[in-house]
């Protein structure tokens, strides 16, 4: 029980940290909570699709790269679809700022990570070591959610107009799938070769760097939009 509690506390702290980055038009708390809950529910559906795809393809445990690629494709594709539906249907009024794709994408990814963490914590005896793994999972899924959310949010404006960037969405999705694939390969092959133990650090560094770079772009766009209204 303490491990579950600490996992939820870490998720709450991460949500507050993500919220801190929204510096121009703060999102209402009900929208923040809703984004996390939508991610939680979406991950349950995606998990069912993962299991179904693995059964249909009959991939064996030793087929590490094939399994890693399949799961990465389903989960990152699910993230992009979820954040798009969140922006266009669920939080249409709130999704009006170039930063919103990164903010809501990370919150949605955080909700997905919580659902997945509960699954894995239920499959083994929770310990401080498993807590460390789940905290990393929270960061990784939220970062990947932010990457795919960037392309959805970058065209948002306060007047309700929303410009779409299909090539950018494809590039962001490709990056998130590649990083997720590398992460899965390291997780599935952790006992196979030393390279699999170094890969998670490289993936996390790449995700953090990419997210920070995209945040800078979105922040500059938001500043240009909101600064005239505040002068």
């Amino acid at each position: 029980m303490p491990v579950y509690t600490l996992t939820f506390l870490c998720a709450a702290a991460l949500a507050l940290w993500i919220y801190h980055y929204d510096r121009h038009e703060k999102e209402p708390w009900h929208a923040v909570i809703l984004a996390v809950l939508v991610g939680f529910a979406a991950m349950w559906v995606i998990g069912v699709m993962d299991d179904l795809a693995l059964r249909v393809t009959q991939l064996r445990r030793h087929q590490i790269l094939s399994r890693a690629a399949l799961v990465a494709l389903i989960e990152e594709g699910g993230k992009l679809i979820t954040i798009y539906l969140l922006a266009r249907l669920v939080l249409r009024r709130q999704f009006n700022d170039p930063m919103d794709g990164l903010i809501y994408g990370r919150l949605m990814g955080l909700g997905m990570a919580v659902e997945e963490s509960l699954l894995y914590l239920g499959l083994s005896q929770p310990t401080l070591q498993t807590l460390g793994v789940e905290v990393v999972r929270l960061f990784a899924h939220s970062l990947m959610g932010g990457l795919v959310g960037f392309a959805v949010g970058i065209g948002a404006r306060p007047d309700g107009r929303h410009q779409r960037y299909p090539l950018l969405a494809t590039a962001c999705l490709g990056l998130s799938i590649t990083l997720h694939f590398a992460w899965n390969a390291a997780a599935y092959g952790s006992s196979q070769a030393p390279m699999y133990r170094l890969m998670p650090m490289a993936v996390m560094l790449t995700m953090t760097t990419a997210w920070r770079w995209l945040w800078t772009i979105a922040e500059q766009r938001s500043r240009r939009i909101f600064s005239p209204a505040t002068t």
Side-chain angles (χ1 to χ4, degrees):
M1 185 61 68
V3 173
Y4 284 93
T5 302
L6 289 173
T7 299
F8 279 113
L9 289 176
C10 289
L14 183 54
L16 290 173
W17 182 59
I18 296 169
Y19 185 74
H20 166 74
Y21 276 92
D22 190 17
R23 298 176 180 176
H24 294 282
E25 187 187 47
K26 286 291 187 182
E27 304 306 313
W29 276 107
H30 77 270
V32 170
I33 296 172
L34 183 60
V36 175
L37 293 177
V38 167
F40 186 96
M43 193 60 189
W44 184 87
V45 176
I46 292 171
V48 172
M49 294 177 63
D50 281 340
D51 292 339
L52 179 60
L54 290 172
R55 285 199 300 268
V56 170
T57 57
Q58 297 183 345
L59 293 176
R60 307 300 181 186
R61 289 190 177 275
H62 68 274
Q63 296 175 285
I64 295 172
L65 298 183
S66 297
R67 288 170 59 91
L70 179 63
V71 172
L73 181 63
I74 294 172
E75 294 191 2
E76 295 311 303
K79 281 190 179 77
L80 181 61
I81 293 172
T82 303
I83 190 64
Y84 181 80
L85 294 177
L86 190 69
R88 304 304 295 168
L89 300 179
V90 183
L91 296 175
R92 188 179 181 89
R93 290 185 178 182
Q94 289 79 19
F95 217 101
N96 57 2
D97 177 354
M99 279 294 298
D100 287 349
L102 289 171
I103 300 300
Y104 283 119
R106 288 204 66 180
L107 291 169
M108 176 208 67
L110 179 61
M112 290 181 167
V114 170
E115 196 281 337
E116 195 172 72
S117 290
L118 292 179
L119 171 65
Y120 282 104
L121 286 174
L123 295 176
S124 60
Q125 182 65 32
T127 63
L128 290 180
Q129 182 178 359
T130 57
L131 173 64
V133 172
E134 300 315 317
V135 170
V136 172
R137 190 190 310 278
L138 297 177
F139 272 95
H141 268 298
S142 71
L143 285 170
M144 285 184 282
L147 295 183
V148 297
F150 172 80
V152 177
I154 196 65
R157 295 182 61 86
D159 58 11
R161 291 184 299 166
H162 195 115
Q163 187 173 357
R164 294 178 177 84
Y165 296 92
L167 292 179
L168 180 61
T170 302
C172 290
L173 178 61
L175 176 60
S176 65
I177 289 174
T178 301
L179 292 171
H180 200 148
F181 163 74
W183 189 275
N184 287 345
Y188 300 160
S190 58
S191 61
Q192 301 293 323
M195 64 170 290
Y196 288 124
R197 301 184 181 183
L198 298 176
M199 199 178 296
M201 291 184 288
V203 170
M204 186 64 74
L205 178 61
T206 303
M207 285 192 295
T208 304
T209 303
W211 187 86
R212 181 67 185 184
W213 178 58
L214 296 178
W215 177 85
T216 301
I217 295 173
E219 170 72 7
Q220 290 173 349
R221 283 212 174 195
S222 294
R223 188 183 299 118
R224 287 198 296 268
I225 289 174
F226 290 103
S227 290
T230 58
T231 57

